[in-house]
Amino acid sequence: MQVEAVLDYLSGVTRYDRSAFTELAIDGEVLGSVNAAWCERLLASEAALFVASERGLSCTLAGDYAHFSRELAAAAQRWQQAGWLNGWRNENFTAFRLDGTPLFELERAAFRPLGLTSRAVHLNGLVRGADGTLRMWIGRRSPDKAVDPNRMDNLMGGGIAAGESIALALEREGWEEAGIPADRLELLRPATCLLAERPVQRGLHREWLYTFDLWLNEGEIPCNQDGEVAEHVLLDLAEVEQLIVDQRFMIDAALVTIDCLSRLGYWGEQSARVEAALAELRYPL
């Protein structure tokens, strides 16, 4: 077991210089964080929407969900045309107020420049052998994926689209990525919710990861439906840990996997140290 290496990995992917980002207030609540390059762009090119404030940056919009969504969608289109946005998906995510109320929806490619918090579902696929040995299904992303090709992933992981419930996202992604029927997933409840937060090339990645565990029978084999997963492999937990230490996982998937191994008690008496590190990322359900 390599608990020290896992703790070092956790520290490396969760700690960053927050002073490099400017808080973004929208409708009076701090909902985002913007790096220096994007702060300059917004103030110079979107002065009608963003202004400097005492605390950092403020969006001047006011109105209802539809108005916010329409105005920010038009701005995102301008950013794309200016060549500032890549990875455009034609898929919206929902931005929520601090109390969980939906405020607006926006093209997912624009979430990171504004440091907005998105949501995703992740599914751990677990198998207990006849001898009690625990193993985990791990996916390897397609080499054709634009983001993190060939890197290791959970059994399933994907973003929650605007207007989509957590349960529906789990069922949709579960079928698309692993061929899991909806009736195997509809009664699952999240085991944990983790906050993934780190600087990326586009800005700041902030995402709530709703994590689920699915126990599969020996002989049940995941089957990708949408071409986004090259293969699924069933590994011993020590092999999974080695992939984490070797930094073969996508970072969000690694967080979910470490959380699962810790909850399974994989590190024995040392699990308490991992639990303490994870406590900073967990949101009470």
Side-chain angles (χ1 to χ4, degrees):
M1 295 182 186
Q2 304 180 67
V3 66
E4 295 293 345
V6 170
L7 288 170
D8 286 345
Y9 175 84
L10 265 179
S11 178
V13 299
T14 58
R15 302 189 186 282
Y16 68 96
D17 181 9
R18 284 169 169 75
S19 69
F21 290 83
T22 299
E23 289 185 344
L24 170 61
I26 304 177
D27 207 26
E29 298 183 11
V30 176
L31 302 180
S33 294
V34 181
N35 67 22
W38 271 95
C39 190
E40 182 178 352
R41 285 171 178 168
L42 295 177
L43 290 174
S45 302
E46 296 288 352
L49 288 180
F50 298 94
V51 297
S53 65
E54 184 176 335
R55 295 186 61 181
L57 198 64
S58 289
C59 178
T60 62
L61 284 173
D64 60 12
Y65 184 98
H67 180 71
F68 268 95
S69 300
R70 182 172 58 253
E71 294 299 316
L72 289 173
Q77 291 281 355
R78 293 192 292 272
W79 305 339
Q80 183 195 29
Q81 292 166 6
W84 298 342
L85 285 183
N86 54 25
W88 193 274
R89 303 282 193 90
N90 289 315
E91 179 184 352
N92 284 358
F93 282 167
T94 302
F96 294 87
R97 293 183 180 275
L98 299 179
D99 66 0
T101 304
L103 181 58
F104 60 87
E105 62 184 75
L106 181 64
E107 159 66 35
R108 62 183 294 178
F111 260 61
R112 288 180 173 182
L114 300 181
L116 299 171
T117 306
S118 54
R119 302 183 303 162
V121 288
H122 285 253
L123 184 65
N124 295 302
L126 300 167
V127 176
R128 188 184 300 275
D131 61 355
T133 301
L134 295 179
R135 291 180 290 172
M136 181 180 289
W137 281 105
I138 299 298
R140 180 173 64 82
R141 290 166 66 84
S142 166
D144 299 322
K145 290 285 286 183
V147 178
D148 290 333
N150 277 321
R151 296 189 73 80
M152 310 310 287
D153 206 341
N154 305 119
L155 174 62
M156 173 277 286
I160 301 174
E164 188 174 43
S165 68
I166 295 170
L168 284 177
L170 179 68
E171 293 175 14
R172 174 180 56 78
E173 291 283 352
W175 174 255
E176 291 176 356
E177 293 201 0
I180 306 296
D183 60 5
R184 294 290 307 278
L185 302 171
E186 61 186 1
L187 297 180
L188 290 185
R189 296 293 178 265
T192 54
C193 183
L194 303 169
L195 179 62
E197 183 176 13
R198 61 186 177 276
V200 291
Q201 184 177 10
R202 201 182 301 161
L204 184 68
H205 173 74
R206 293 190 86 246
E207 189 160 75
W208 287 115
L209 312 176
Y210 290 85
T211 301
F212 298 79
D213 297 339
L214 178 66
W215 290 89
L216 296 162
N217 298 319
E218 288 191 287
E220 282 190 277
I221 301 175
C223 182
N224 178 247
Q225 306 294 312
D226 61 5
E228 294 191 1
V229 180
E231 64 176 341
H232 287 95
V233 291
L234 185 60
L235 302 177
D236 294 335
L237 299 189
E239 295 176 294
V240 174
E241 180 189 50
Q242 189 64 53
L243 289 173
I244 295 168
V245 171
D246 291 343
Q247 300 187 30
R248 293 282 309 282
F249 270 95
M250 293 180 64
I251 294 176
D252 287 1
L255 295 178
V256 169
T257 304
I258 292 169
D259 172 78
C260 184
L261 292 178
S262 183
R263 289 186 287 104
L264 292 171
Y266 171 73
W267 289 288
E269 294 180 356
Q270 295 295 314
S271 290
R273 299 176 62 200
V274 183
E275 284 288 300
L278 290 169
E280 299 180 19
L281 312 180
R282 284 179 176 155
Y283 182 80
L285 293 168

